[in-house]
Amino acid sequence: MAKTTTDHDEIRRWAESHGGRPAVVRSTHDEAHGSGRKSRKTGVGLLRLMFPKARQSDHGELEEIEWTEFFQQFEESKLALLYEEDSNFNKLIGRDTAEKREHGDHKAARH
């Protein structure tokens, strides 16, 4: 059964116990003009948890980031983690969606 949390320690502990690392979708990063360096002034981009050692794992479009950067964007975006304790299944969802699901609306989604 899936659990939902916003607790940073719980998220990090769960992810690392499954070989997970914080990441962002590379194409959602902003590029600084002409420098080739990443600019995160408007946010990191689309957050993900990547599992590089998992079978059939394709992370070619993901870029690993630091946990501090991950959680800063996690909070700014008001996200929650939906996950299964004994598998790599996870999904970052809006906290508003998580709250609706806790109250029985299992089809709730952010639009």
Side-chain angles (χ1 to χ4, degrees), residues 72-86:
Q72 180 179 348
Q73 185 67 33
F74 182 84
E75 290 302 323
E76 288 175 8
S77 299
K78 295 182 171 75
L79 297 175
L81 179 68
L82 177 68
Y83 71 102
E84 290 183 355
E85 189 67 46
D86 297 325

Side-chain angles (χ1 to χ4, degrees), residues 4 6 74 77-82 91-99 101 108 110:
T4 304
T6 58
F74 182 84
S77 299
K78 295 182 171 75
L79 297 175
L81 179 68
L82 177 68
K91 184 175 185 180
L92 293 166
I93 60 174
R95 290 181 187 171
D96 53 341
T97 301
E99 188 173 313
R101 286 178 178 231
R110 194 181 256 185

Side-chain angles (χ1 to χ4, degrees), residues 53-68:
K53 295 181 182 177
R55 291 179 126 189
Q56 300 176 348
S57 182
D58 181 14
H59 294 94
E61 292 301 315
L62 298 181
E63 179 179 332
E64 188 173 346
I65 59 174
E66 298 294 325
W67 281 110
T68 53

Side-chain angles (χ1 to χ4, degrees), residues 30-63:
D30 291 331
E31 292 285 336
H33 254 289
S35 70
R37 293 186 358 202
K38 303 290 183 193
S39 169
R40 290 174 172 69
K41 290 183 180 178
T42 59
V44 171
L46 294 175
L47 295 178
R48 297 287 185 268
L49 290 173
M50 59 188 261
F51 298 86
K53 295 181 182 177
R55 291 179 126 189
Q56 300 176 348
S57 182
D58 181 14
H59 294 94
E61 292 301 315
L62 298 181
E63 179 179 332

